[in-house]
Amino acid sequence: QVQLVESGGGLVQPGGSLILSCVASGRTFCGYAMGWFCQASGKERKFVAAISWSGDNTVYEDSVKGRFTITRDNAKNTVYLQMNSLKAEDTALYYCGARLGLIGTTNFGSWGQGTQVTVSS
């Protein structure tokens, strides 16, 4: 079981940027695709972005394409989400998740506690 801890959230104005980090511990990071998900108040958690174990493949939800970038540093057991051109509708609790095997948009687990992103002027 991989344990995940997210950080980097905060309050930012519309059009601003944030970098979220997710550090993995416990079982080896090796072989896990990683993903970022978000959950707005009163709504279900939804997929944002994912990256393969090698980092060669990424996939994004349509509304964040061109604005968000997911990367990983396997030497540091860390996955990042660079968030640019933030909008009010990006406000949510952001979680990272792990998926053993190939990249995908579902079947992630080992959720961390989340980090809150609030976009407001």
Side-chain angles (χ1 to χ4, degrees):
Q1 184 81 357
V2 176
Q3 286 83 47
L4 303 173
V5 178
E6 303 94 337
S7 63
L11 173 64
V12 62
Q13 292 186 342
S17 298
L18 281 175
I19 302 176
L20 306 184
S21 299
C22 172
V23 179
S25 61
R27 288 194 58 152
T28 177
F29 201 43
C30 179
Y32 283 87
M34 299 297 295
W36 285 98
F37 291 70
C38 69
Q39 186 168 17
S41 180
K43 297 187 177 180
E44 293 187 352
R45 184 157 49 197
K46 69 172 187 176
F47 171 79
V48 175
I51 188 167
S52 62
W53 152 244
S54 67
D56 290 343
N57 297 305
T58 57
V59 60
Y60 296 93
E61 194 272 330
D62 285 346
S63 69
V64 307
K65 286 180 180 177
R67 299 191 299 122
F68 292 7
T69 303
I70 186 171
T71 57
R72 67 191 294 164
D73 183 340
N74 289 339
K76 296 182 178 180
N77 285 357
T78 302
V79 61
Y80 304 96
L81 186 67
Q82 172 74 52
M83 310 168 73
N84 297 328
S85 302
L86 282 161
K87 306 174 181 180
E89 50 264 42
D90 296 319
T91 295
L93 190 59
Y94 283 74
Y95 298 89
C96 69
R99 171 189 161 121
L100 187 61
L102 298 176
I103 191 173
T105 62
T106 59
N107 294 326
F108 283 79
S110 301
W111 305 105
Q113 82 291 346
T115 185
Q116 178 68 38
V117 172
T118 302
V119 184
S120 175
S121 55

